[in-house]
Amino acid sequence: MGELPPQVQNMLAQLQQIQQQLQMVLTQKVQLENSLKETENAIQEVEKVGDDTPIFKTVGTVLVKTSKEQILKELREKKDTFEIRIKALERQEEKLKERLQDLQRKIRSLLSGVQAG
C-alpha cells in the first residue's frame, strides 16, 4: 500500500489527539476517585469519635483544632465536589469514546475504499 491520503492522515492525527485526551480524563478520574475514597474514610472515622474528642485539621503546614461538626461539614462538601467532578469526567469520557469510535469507523471506511481502489 502506498502513502495514506491526506484526509486519512489528518483523521489519524485527530484519533491520536482524542486518545491522549481520553487518557488524561481517565487519569484525572482515577485521582479524584482516590481522593473521594480518602474523604469517605475520613468521614467514617470522624463520625466514630465522641463529640468531646479533639479533632485537628491541616491548614498548610499547621494543625488547627476544629469541631466535629465543622470538619464533617467540610468533608461532606469536599465529597460532594469530588462526586460532581467525577460525574463530569465520566460524561467527558463517554463523549470522547463516542468520538473515538466514530473516527475509527470513518478511517476504516476510507482505508477499505483506498485498498479497493
Side-chain angles (χ1 to χ4, degrees), residues 53-57 64-71 74:
T53 304
I55 296 177
F56 296 87
K57 68 177 183 175
V64 178
K65 189 173 182 179
T66 185
S67 68
K68 180 177 176 178
E69 298 80 27
Q70 181 62 33
I71 198 72
E74 290 175 19

Side-chain angles (χ1 to χ4, degrees), residues 10-115:
N10 184 33
M11 287 180 158
L12 287 171
Q14 287 177 19
L15 185 77
Q16 188 174 23
Q17 186 178 24
I18 293 171
Q19 287 172 330
Q20 289 171 348
Q21 289 174 346
L22 182 58
Q23 187 59 49
M24 284 180 11
V25 166
L26 292 172
T27 300
Q28 288 175 358
K29 188 174 122 184
V30 166
Q31 290 170 344
L32 284 173
E33 287 170 341
N34 289 337
S35 295
L36 175 62
K37 192 69 177 159
E38 287 176 16
T39 302
E40 289 171 340
N41 290 340
I43 289 170
Q44 289 175 352
E45 290 302 313
V46 170
E47 287 174 337
K48 289 179 190 176
V49 301
D51 291 338
D52 57 341
T53 304
I55 296 177
F56 296 87
K57 68 177 183 175
T58 57
V59 179
T61 59
V62 178
L63 284 177
V64 178
K65 189 173 182 179
T66 185
S67 68
K68 180 177 176 178
E69 298 80 27
Q70 181 62 33
I71 198 72
L72 282 173
K73 179 181 181 247
E74 290 175 19
L75 288 170
R76 288 182 180 128
E77 287 173 359
K78 202 178 204 184
K79 179 183 174 201
D80 290 344
T81 301
F82 287 142
E83 289 172 340
I84 290 167
R85 290 177 63 196
I86 288 169
K87 286 197 186 329
L89 286 172
E90 286 171 346
R91 285 192 298 272
Q92 194 175 353
E93 175 187 356
E94 286 306 310
K95 287 180 183 178
L96 286 170
K97 283 181 178 178
E98 287 172 13
R99 285 178 54 201
L100 199 60
Q101 290 171 348
D102 185 48
L103 201 51
Q104 286 171 334
R105 278 192 295 275
K106 288 178 181 176
I107 290 170
R108 273 191 225 104
S109 174
L110 283 171
L111 287 176
S112 65
V114 167
Q115 290 173 347

